[in-house]
Amino acid sequence: MRRLLLLLVATVWLLTGTASAATPADPRITAAVATWATQPLYVDPDYSSVADRAETLQVISGAKVPVFVAVVPFGEWFPEQGDIPMLAGRLAAANGKPGLYVVMDGDRSYGAAHQLGVYAPSWTYAERDESLSKQLSEYLDGVRASKYSTPKPARTAPLPPEPERTYPKEKFTVGKAIGNGLGGLVLGLMGGGILGGIVLIVAALSRPRRREGRA
């Protein structure tokens, strides 16, 4: 019995270990966390030519809360399926430090508070040719301390699907059918009568008057 139990545990460990090994780590998250060990700004190589690192680091250092920034590509083709707040949450969970995690792609900025009681904008859009440092500064301008926001982990799982709206079907009855039919008949008669009256008035006005002769 003991040998069977040990065999079962070993089999489960082997299966779970193989499954974990078959799922590669997201290179964006891995690279960002490795960089954050020394500085709070990670810039993907594809954005190195447009990133003003010194100015962006200066904006981060002037923030009132810990800020970690990742300038990376994101979209529906990545595992988060375009859910950028979830990507920010996964970055926060991988880094394991309280703070505001901001994800940027040069046009949009998304953020998620991790173990931090603050209000942060869901996202902001950049103006044309706006520098990353200016985009980040404008995003952080919307961050507010909030006594209503309790520190909690950032979201790392997809949001549940919204329930479909259902409308109660009106039960068919003979009485309702007759009532609707009579209502339509009355409206039709009223409309026909009004239209007929207008036609008669127009015809009367357009009829030429006869001239009376003198005796």
Side-chain angles (χ1 to χ4, degrees), residues 13-132:
W13 179 85
L14 180 61
L15 291 175
T16 54
T18 305
S20 299
T23 305
D26 190 324
R28 299 168 299 166
I29 296 177
T30 303
V33 172
T35 301
W36 287 339
T38 57
Q39 65 173 10
L41 172 64
Y42 169 71
V43 180
D44 184 271
D46 290 341
Y47 295 90
S48 58
S49 61
V50 297
D52 50 343
R53 293 175 181 268
E55 291 80 1
T56 304
L57 283 169
Q58 187 175 0
V59 172
I60 295 173
S61 64
K64 297 180 180 180
V65 297
V67 177
F68 299 91
V69 179
V71 184
V72 294
F74 52 74
E76 294 183 359
W77 53 90
F78 284 110
E80 68 275 356
Q81 298 293 312
D83 187 349
I84 315 307
M86 184 174 69
L87 171 59
R90 289 177 174 175
L91 283 162
N95 196 41
K97 296 179 181 179
L100 180 63
Y101 288 78
V102 183
V103 184
M104 309 173 69
D105 73 342
D107 295 318
R108 294 163 293 174
S109 300
Y110 289 81
H114 179 67
Q115 301 290 9
L116 202 65
V118 298
Y119 163 80
S122 300
W123 50 266
T124 56
Y125 273 110
E127 296 181 1
R128 185 174 181 179
D129 299 329
E130 191 174 33
S131 65
L132 290 177

Side-chain angles (χ1 to χ4, degrees), residues 156-212:
T156 57
L159 293 171
E162 294 184 1
E164 295 184 0
R165 293 184 179 180
T166 57
Y167 300 94
K169 293 183 179 180
E170 187 177 356
K171 188 176 180 180
F172 174 81
T173 62
V174 176
K176 288 183 179 179
I178 295 174
N180 292 337
L182 290 176
L185 178 61
V186 171
L187 290 176
L189 291 175
M190 291 177 61
I194 294 173
L195 181 61
I198 294 174
V199 171
L200 291 176
I201 292 173
V202 171
L205 292 176
S206 61
R207 182 180 301 172
R209 296 182 179 180
R210 295 181 179 179
R211 293 183 178 180
E212 295 182 358

